[in-house]
Amino acid sequence: MKAARLHRYDPKMEGPEFLKLEDVPEPRITEPDHVIVRIGGAGLCRTDLHIIEGIWRTKVNVELPYILGHENAGWVEEVGPGVTEFKKGDAVIVHPLMTDGTCPACRKGNDMHCENSLFPGINTDGGFAEYLLTKSRSLIKLPQGIHPHEIAPHADAGLTAYHAAKKAARHLEPGDYAVLIGFGGLGHIGFQVLRSLSPARIIVVDRSPLALELAEELGAEHRVKAGEKAVQEVLALTGGRGAEAVLDFVGEGGSIEMGLAMTKNAGSYYVIGYGGTVEVPAIDLIFSEKNIIGNLVGTYTDLMELMTLAGEGKVHLSTTTYPLEEINQAIADLHQGKVKGRAVLIP
Ligand code: ZN
Ligand code: ZN
């Protein structure tokens, strides 16, 4: 089958060939719960750029070459002998982790913290190919009328935004405020999820006028331009108290300090974007009782719920598609900020 594999790291993203398009053997079923998915769409993500740059080398143990692509959706092609709930032709989205289902974390539903897992596209072969090996535990059938390439990025980008927004929504009541910092690929999904799950008043903060325009189109009533006055503006909007929840989809370049300053006492600051460092004097945490909350992708049930919202038309994802043959162009475009919405590769 054709696949796009990473052969060497490219710290400066010089290219032009980031991944090599080549013919590789198709994956094979070796366990009763294995499933082969024929890829209908695979989302391209900033994490892929970071992998190519080599930033993930110290976090992930993987041997080159291997196939990237961790945001996958398609159709069931073949199932192992133990799989009864899926059959060939079912349209599915793939939860990004292959988990064992038996460790304490899995039994509690914390898929991302499985003690015995594989992450296709991160530490084993992923979905920038015609076929992907996964497990039946990871699959969710798509709602009627939704094509895999329309929702593939939900497998990671959407799921991450959903996981954080759902956590925040549990603590938001009418009259409360939620601030979303960063209205890009994840932020615009987080906004739609929060809109569906919570009555909170939402304030969108972004430095890009284009992003704020999109926020307005999607119905965000309060929009604040990121910069020196942003904290002041949010405090003014919230009666001087700050927001009960601040979801930071940026996580670097001053957004952490800004986000914490916008958080109300006893409120919560959610870290979703990364790159920066969270630094707070202990005494400040004591006096303010602010909570700082990490977020790692999302659970299987989070993805089920997100698919329900997508099927009901409550969460819309904006995408640009590329044929798999143009993967290097797609990577260059993403690197140069030229992709509108999320890029999706179609083999
Ligand atoms: Zn991703
Ligand atoms: Zn597990």
Side-chain angles (χ1 to χ4, degrees), residues 269-290:
Y269 168 72
Y270 297 82
V271 186
I272 306 144
Y274 59 92
T277 302
V278 181
E279 218 170 357
V280 193
I283 188 145
D284 288 1
L285 276 187
I286 289 170
F287 272 89
S288 68
E289 280 202 325
K290 289 181 189 178

Side-chain angles (χ1 to χ4, degrees), residues 9-11 50-62:
Y9 296 106
D10 187 349
H50 294 327
I51 292 171
I52 294 167
E53 287 166 343
I55 291 174
W56 280 57
R57 245 186 296 190
T58 55
K59 297 272 173 219
V60 171
N61 196 5
V62 65

Side-chain angles (χ1 to χ4, degrees), residues 321-338:
T321 57
Y322 293 81
L324 183 58
E325 287 77 6
E326 286 174 24
I327 179 94
N328 287 305
Q329 185 61 51
I331 290 169
D333 287 353
L334 178 60
H335 183 55
Q336 290 157 21
K338 286 192 207 154

